[in-house]
Amino acid sequence: MLELRDIHHRWDQRPLLDGVSLRVDAGRTVALLGASGSGKSTLLKIAAGIETPERGSVWFDGADLTRTPPHRRGFALMFQDFALFPHLDVQDNVAFGLVEQGVPRREARERARALLERFGLGAHARSRVAHLSGGEQQRVALARALITQPRALLLDEPFSALDAALREQLRAEFRERIAEAGMAAILVTHDEAEARAMAQQGWALEGGRLVPRW
């Protein structure tokens, strides 16, 4: 279970997050809606450890992670631009996190290929990511996030660059994978239809506070 407790943060001398508390259970997705600049992405970065709150704390399964660096939290963060490595092929993009954790490269590649097969991307394992479609690149990004078996998945507008039909398809796929892996997930989006399609609970950030949407 991921918890954000009484998060306070200022931006340009104004309160951006004013006592935000949020709980996300394993295998469930919570959506964060709100206008541009409302603090959605900042809250996600605080959960990831990229930013530190002025007050408040981040917890996971009863442990305080507020001062724990991002690479030791066991979370995966996905941005809208996918952030794939153009100099690596698909297989090595997916294997990257395992290699960073000390898994031997051969084993990491075998595990990456197995996951790519599950995602219908086995035939592209040795392709450069630039040769893939937008939807295929997004699946590679999801596979890379999941292969390290993260405890939480943090999604920042992950489908905004894709066309409507592909967004609908990937929403269902992400929802299934999140439940299957038993992760706590936070989805930041401005699209309420997308939020309702993926999340069991939705909140809007308004004036630095969370307002329930469903």
Side-chain angles (χ1 to χ4, degrees):
M1 179 175 63
L2 173 61
E3 292 181 275
L4 305 176
R5 299 181 181 177
D6 194 31
I7 300 295
H8 291 256
H9 201 71
R10 296 177 68 85
W11 176 259
D12 196 24
Q13 303 304 311
R14 69 179 180 87
L16 184 65
L17 301 171
D18 188 17
V20 171
S21 295
L22 183 66
R23 167 179 163 168
V24 189
D25 292 325
R28 295 180 67 81
T29 300
V30 170
L32 292 179
L33 296 147
S36 178
S38 62
K40 305 185 302 297
S41 293
T42 298
L43 188 62
L44 206 66
K45 290 175 181 177
I46 287 172
I50 296 171
E51 292 193 21
T52 302
E54 294 174 14
R55 283 171 46 200
S57 54
V58 179
W59 294 72
F60 192 90
D61 284 353
D64 186 351
L65 302 183
T66 311
R67 303 299 171 186
T68 301
H71 67 279
R72 294 184 56 198
R73 295 193 180 198
F75 299 169
L77 180 61
M78 288 184 61
F79 294 101
Q80 57 184 302
D81 62 359
F82 313 156
L84 298 174
F85 301 118
H87 64 289
L88 299 179
D89 62 22
V90 168
Q91 171 185 268
D92 283 347
N93 262 278
V94 176
F96 181 82
L98 293 177
V99 173
E100 288 291 291
Q101 291 180 348
V103 175
R105 190 173 301 275
R106 177 177 294 182
E107 179 185 342
R109 285 173 169 170
E110 289 174 355
R111 289 166 62 178
R113 284 196 299 271
L115 189 57
L116 287 167
E117 289 287 348
R118 286 181 56 195
F119 277 43
L121 292 168
H124 299 290
R126 303 309 302 272
S127 300
R128 294 288 180 178
V129 293
H131 298 159
L132 303 183
S133 69
E136 288 167 341
Q137 289 185 28
Q138 187 62 298
R139 285 192 179 91
V140 172
L142 176 60
R144 188 179 66 180
L146 296 185
I147 199 168
T148 57
Q149 298 181 316
R151 304 189 294 176
L153 183 61
L154 309 173
L155 304 165
D156 194 355
E157 301 278 7
F159 310 128
S160 62
L162 306 178
D163 63 61
L166 188 54
R167 283 202 306 270
E168 185 173 346
Q169 177 184 344
L170 287 175
R171 288 169 190 166
E173 186 169 332
F174 270 51
R175 186 176 62 243
E176 178 183 341
R177 302 296 182 187
I178 289 165
E180 180 184 84
M183 294 179 294
I186 299 177
L187 168 70
V188 163
T189 181
H190 66 278
D191 184 337
E192 182 153 348
E194 180 170 281
R196 289 183 178 273
M198 288 187 62
Q200 291 80 34
Q201 188 177 36
W203 298 85
L205 258 174
E206 298 177 3
R209 296 182 177 273
L210 287 179
V211 178
R213 296 294 286 264
W214 71 88

